[in-house]
Amino acid sequence: MNEKQRSILLDSSSRFPPPPGVKLSYGTAGFRADATILQSTVFRVGILAALRSLKTQSVIGLMITASHNKVSDNGVKIADPSGGMLTQAWEPFADALANVPDSLHLVQLVDDFVMKENIPLEVVQSAVILLGRDTRPSGESLLEAAKQGISSIVGAVAVDMGVLTTPQLHWMVRFRNKGMKATEMDYFNQLSNSFRCLIDLIPPGSSVNVMDKLIVDGANGVGGEKLQVLKKVLHGLDIQIRNSGKEGVLNDEVGADYVQKEKVVPRGFAPADAGMRCASLDGDADRLVYFSAIQNSNNRIRLVDGDKILSLFALFIKEQLSILNDNEGDRETNSYPATLGVVQTAYANGASTDYLKHLGLEVVFTPTGVKYLHEKAAEYDIGIYFEANGHGTILLSEGLLQWLDGRSSEPSLTSKGSEQQKAALRLLAVSKLINPAVGDALSGLLLVEAILQHMGWSIHRWNELYHDLPSRQLKVKVVERSAVVTANAETVVVRPLGIQEAINAETAKYPRGRCFVRPSGTEDVVRVYAEASTEEAADNLANSVAQLVDQFLGFRSS
């Protein structure tokens, strides 16, 4: 690091001292905390983003959001060149940078990292970082801190993209790095055109007329605001937006996280909405769940969560692949042996896993966390992942997309207007509608709506695909969570010895019983998940396993 760069870093970082006694960790969601203590952290993530851009010679994204957290919180995370999350290899540096105590140590840490990673800091090169923020009041001042961090690296340029959903920023980074136009209007046009394409390809005779209006809870956040814009370029869908952000507090008894966890209607809904098809976005619009309110039930709902969204997508895609591979003629030249994989975590309801396997699909499990799901899904020609909380997407391989493009446009391979051509066009439209970089509530919502129209299904018909097994989640305080070591995608405890056998013995007492425990990633607790055939059985199984965890690892055991 030359003296000019060292001097700029020393001077700028001295203006953003870290708050005393605060230690933050970069997880799947980046850094999150009360907004009043984040100035220093966001400034330092600006430095990280600039270094990442120099290292990869690509556009990088920096998003300021705390998603479904309360409005007084905020956070910051990085979008890598692919539009995905920051590579796990850089997370330890992110942690060290955020927590380094003063300017001198910061400069030394950056200098060491630059040398280790061979980042071309001495050569004046441009680094481009796209900045986005959600609608939180603290976002503007934190954005300024990010800009200062970026500009403290010589040659780095911050491009403020304004107020965005998190998925919009990830999408823009991905497409900018492909050399394509990536404005907000480009995003809206791609979504609306792809949706229109799927609607135009609905088979004759589908009960399209059964579709009434869709009511969307915007969580009083950026998603509601952006859906208002999307509506203007969208045709073929009647959307009514509640909690758009003009009134009401972000994530206060609204939003996908609240609806999924509490299983009640969000604020802004009335008894007249009972039975209607409703959807809920989270605060930064990267999660989506559906629901319908139950009449005269004290605001209770029938929840259609991420597992059901995944099942709907898997069913539709399997149908299109079946049509494509139902060839007349030479199978060797006309078919593509596409691999289709469904990726879940152990928190997926067992009934959803049974349903997907019953369809003949390959279902694989990963540890909890979107980064693990996304990585596994990328191993397939079509990989679909969703968490029950409504975060997920579909990935299609470049090889498959090229083959589909050929099938849809080459007359010698597919006769025009044939079912095979339509199936190829549908899958191509799915690839353009879904956001391959990250879970996206707006694109996911349009794909759900297109498939429901394709099937001629109401939300009630969709919800009848399978019935969730009753489940229960508990937390048990422990002395040291790292004492728990798991395997098999966190479904089996290998340490401490003996506890898994005890859990197995307890689980075996209950029909359709399933139970696992795993250490929390953020606090000294062990999380217990239990399923069984009845609510009472799920409660009893969870409670008895929680007692086992306490015996083996709790304060009594110490």
Side-chain angles (χ1 to χ4, degrees), residues 37-325:
I37 62 169
L38 275 177
Q39 288 273 347
S40 163
T41 305
V42 175
F43 165 81
R44 292 169 180 206
V45 173
I47 295 172
L48 184 148
L51 294 176
R52 186 73 185 143
S53 181
L54 287 172
K55 168 70 178 178
T56 60
Q57 292 295 289
S58 304
V59 175
I60 294 294
L62 186 153
M63 183 71 195
I64 294 171
T65 181
S67 187
H68 53 273
N69 284 35
K70 60 184 184 289
V71 70
S72 56
D73 287 349
N74 217 323
V76 59
K77 54 186 171 182
I78 296 290
D80 244 8
S82 66
M85 289 173 289
L86 175 68
T87 175
Q88 293 173 54
W90 276 46
E91 287 182 13
F93 174 62
D95 287 349
L97 190 62
N99 295 303
V100 73
D102 54 49
S103 298
L104 283 171
H105 286 92
L106 182 145
V107 172
Q108 188 59 55
L109 178 70
V110 169
D111 201 19
D112 292 346
F113 188 73
V114 163
M115 288 179 65
K116 172 175 164 275
E117 290 285 325
N118 294 316
I119 296 171
L121 204 56
E122 302 298 331
V123 185
V124 178
Q125 298 197 47
S126 64
V128 178
I129 296 88
L130 305 186
L131 299 178
R133 62 183 174 90
D134 69 14
T135 54
R136 291 163 197 272
S138 57
E140 218 162 332
S141 63
L142 291 176
L143 191 84
E144 188 53 41
K147 287 178 180 175
Q148 302 237 5
I150 291 163
S151 62
S152 67
I153 298 297
V154 175
V157 178
V159 182
D160 185 356
M161 305 303 289
V163 173
L164 297 172
T165 71
T166 295
Q168 281 182 313
L169 182 76
H170 284 260
W171 185 93
M172 289 171 179
V173 169
R174 179 184 177 87
F175 278 82
R176 280 283 290 267
N177 283 318
K178 285 175 173 278
M180 298 165 74
K181 280 182 68 189
T183 66
E184 187 173 29
M185 216 54 229
D186 293 323
Y187 168 87
F188 287 133
N189 286 333
Q190 179 161 317
L191 261 59
S192 61
N193 291 340
S194 308
F195 175 75
R196 186 71 251 162
C197 180
L198 282 169
I199 297 302
D200 289 344
L201 288 164
I202 289 174
S206 284
S207 308
V208 181
N209 294 334
V210 304
M211 302 304 288
D212 47 20
K213 73 177 177 220
L214 168 69
I215 307 174
V216 181
D217 159 34
N220 288 321
V222 64
E225 189 178 292
K226 298 304 179 185
L227 193 54
Q228 297 276 23
V229 183
L230 181 58
K231 263 183 72 172
K232 293 173 184 172
V233 294
L234 200 62
H235 304 284
L237 187 58
D238 181 7
I239 301 176
Q240 186 179 109
I241 304 167
R242 309 269 175 88
N243 305 319
S244 64
K246 291 172 183 164
E247 299 171 12
V249 179
L250 173 72
N251 294 332
D252 182 24
E253 295 188 3
V254 293
D257 189 64
Y258 174 76
V259 170
Q260 191 245 341
K261 284 189 170 60
E262 301 299 324
K263 295 183 176 58
V264 294
V265 297
R267 285 179 193 256
F269 284 69
D273 300 321
M276 297 293 292
R277 189 174 77 265
C278 304
S280 190
L281 321 176
D282 74 332
D284 66 337
D286 65 357
R287 293 185 185 185
L288 168 72
V289 296
Y290 273 71
F291 66 93
S292 63
I294 305 170
Q295 202 150 18
N296 304 322
S297 67
N298 198 21
N299 288 339
R300 303 307 293 177
I301 61 169
R302 291 185 180 88
L303 177 69
V304 187
D305 64 6
D307 291 338
K308 283 248 168 82
I309 293 172
L310 183 153
S311 299
L312 182 72
F313 290 175
L315 189 67
F316 177 76
I317 286 169
K318 182 176 184 292
E319 178 188 277
Q320 305 318 306
L321 285 176
S322 297
I323 293 168
L324 274 167
N325 291 319

Side-chain angles (χ1 to χ4, degrees), residues 315 452 455-466:
L315 189 67
L452 289 179
M455 301 287 198
W457 285 1
S458 66
I459 187 171
H460 311 292
R461 170 66 183 84
W462 174 22
N463 204 23
E464 289 296 313
L465 284 179
Y466 60 82

Side-chain angles (χ1 to χ4, degrees), residues 431-502:
S431 76
K432 291 184 174 72
L433 177 53
I434 203 73
N435 190 332
V438 70
D440 185 336
L442 298 184
S443 72
L445 178 120
L446 293 186
L447 184 53
V448 166
E449 291 299 312
I451 296 173
L452 289 179
Q453 288 199 37
H454 176 92
M455 301 287 198
W457 285 1
S458 66
I459 187 171
H460 311 292
R461 170 66 183 84
W462 174 22
N463 204 23
E464 289 296 313
L465 284 179
Y466 60 82
H467 297 285
D468 281 334
L469 287 166
S471 64
R472 180 78 186 277
Q473 295 187 45
L474 297 174
K475 294 195 294 189
V476 183
K477 287 193 174 181
V478 295
V479 179
E480 179 50 65
R481 70 180 186 271
S482 63
V484 179
V485 179
T486 62
N488 294 1
E490 301 179 312
T491 59
V492 175
V493 181
V494 293
R495 282 207 309 270
L497 296 174
I499 189 171
Q500 187 59 53
E501 288 74 16

Side-chain angles (χ1 to χ4, degrees), residues 88 341-348 363-380 384-387 486-492 514 516 518:
Q88 293 173 54
V342 175
V343 191
Q344 294 186 307
T345 72
Y347 284 108
V363 183
V364 292
F365 288 85
T366 70
T368 304
V370 173
K371 56 191 173 189
Y372 303 114
L373 289 155
H374 197 94
E375 186 178 15
K376 191 68 184 175
E379 294 178 11
Y380 296 89
I384 314 172
Y385 72 85
F386 263 84
E387 296 179 291
T486 62
N488 294 1
E490 301 179 312
T491 59
V492 175
R514 182 171 73 93
F516 67 91
R518 56 179 285 270

